[in-house]
Amino acid sequence: MEPSVFTKRGKLSVVATPIGNLEDITLRALRTLKECDVIYAEDTRVISKVLARYDIKKPLQRLDAATELKKADEVIARLEAGEHVALVSDAGTPGISDPGARLVAQVRLILPGAIIEAIPGPSALTAALSIAGMDASGFTFLGFLPHKKGRQTALKKIAESDIPVVLYESPHRILKLLKELETINASRVTIARELTKMHEEIVSGSVTEVQVHFAAHPVAVRGEFVVIVEP
Ligand code: SAM
């Protein structure tokens, strides 16, 4: 008779967390964060606020863009030992303009037997599209445009797109981006600012109208932005 072989199967849960409002977290995400052995977080201070809100106490490790590949070895060793590891980013879904993809790719490569599960939830991308009032059955997501090399190519791609293009932008560059969108003759834009937070705001109109809005309300040039460029 063949000897039975027991292989421990570690599990990596990629967990979406709130993009502002701490109530935006799924029951499954909370259960996963309660049940896992360790949480790898982009910034342990940020996830600590979510954990404190739900009275969850767990060992935390940092895994950010700079340390992702180095920390992947550590995560893989834990999964080999049969541990349950949760991965979170600062906001929303890991891997969407956030660390996560390289870790997942390494785990798939080195440890094909490990379970990798998604715990879906908020993302600024889908939240913005859900209230933009435009057909999002097809869209292009470009995340943050490159700051220098490749920026003009990306703008050209936006100009030529016949479906909506969704971008992430920081408060420091939002006015610059609007100017650039004007130069490529973008027609209408929708800007979703501070989604799920106290100062949530949706500004929609021609690029010029939106620029006028921000010039008249300098306080609105703060926070976090999703920019949707209409075709
Ligand atoms: N992983 C996140 C997700 O799933 O949406 C995105 C992380 S990315 C580093 C951060 C960018 O997402 C911000 O600069 C902003 O463009 C966008 N973002 C995140 N939270 C937001 C919010 N509450 N309102 C508007 N945009 C937000």
Side-chain angles (χ1 to χ4, degrees), residues 137-150:
S137 49
F139 62 87
T140 303
F141 175 58
L142 294 182
F144 293 100
L145 292 187
H147 294 167
K148 289 189 180 116
K149 197 165 172 277

Side-chain angles (χ1 to χ4, degrees), residues 38-228:
V38 58
I39 301 171
Y40 278 74
E42 189 178 3
D43 185 333
T44 54
R45 289 162 302 182
V46 175
I47 192 65
S48 292
K49 288 186 193 144
V50 180
L51 299 179
R53 170 80 162 72
Y54 294 100
D55 207 16
I56 299 172
K57 294 181 183 71
K58 266 306 139 177
L60 295 175
Q61 291 289 334
R62 191 173 177 124
L63 184 148
D64 55 23
T67 58
E68 187 170 359
L69 276 185
K70 208 167 128 233
K71 287 289 174 82
D73 294 342
E74 204 179 292
V75 171
I76 288 166
R78 285 182 183 272
L79 296 173
E80 269 177 326
E83 283 191 33
H84 180 187
V85 176
L87 173 74
V88 298
S89 62
D90 282 355
T93 304
I96 309 295
S97 296
D98 260 345
R102 287 183 296 168
L103 170 69
V104 169
Q106 278 296 97
V107 173
R108 284 203 190 290
L109 185 74
I110 313 259
L111 220 56
I115 301 164
I116 303 178
E117 66 174 13
I119 312 290
S123 178
L125 166 67
T126 46
L129 283 170
S130 74
I131 52 168
M134 71 184 73
D135 178 14
S137 49
F139 62 87
T140 303
F141 175 58
L142 294 182
F144 293 100
L145 292 187
H147 294 167
K148 289 189 180 116
K149 197 165 172 277
R151 193 170 179 94
Q152 288 312 317
T153 314
L155 286 165
K156 191 162 174 273
K157 202 166 163 183
I158 297 170
E160 287 166 359
S161 179
D162 54 7
I163 53 176
V165 178
V166 188
L167 307 170
Y168 283 166
E169 195 46 280
S170 72
H172 319 291
R173 293 200 177 78
I174 188 76
L175 296 178
K176 175 177 187 260
L177 175 66
L178 286 171
K179 278 203 186 86
E180 290 168 326
L181 291 176
E182 199 167 38
T183 61
I184 61 163
N185 293 324
S187 52
R188 286 182 66 82
V189 286
T190 294
I191 305 221
R193 180 172 86 91
E194 294 289 80
L195 287 163
T196 79
K197 303 184 200 176
M198 194 193 290
H199 299 292
E200 174 170 326
E201 178 182 53
I202 303 289
V203 185
S204 211
S206 70
V207 178
T208 313
E209 282 165 352
V210 172
Q211 281 178 312
V212 168
H213 170 83
F214 283 121
H217 306 90
V219 70
V221 193
R222 285 196 202 144
E224 302 193 272
F225 299 85
V226 179
V227 179
I228 306 176

Side-chain angles (χ1 to χ4, degrees), residues 1-6:
M1 199 174 128
E2 289 289 311
S4 56
V5 181
F6 174 66

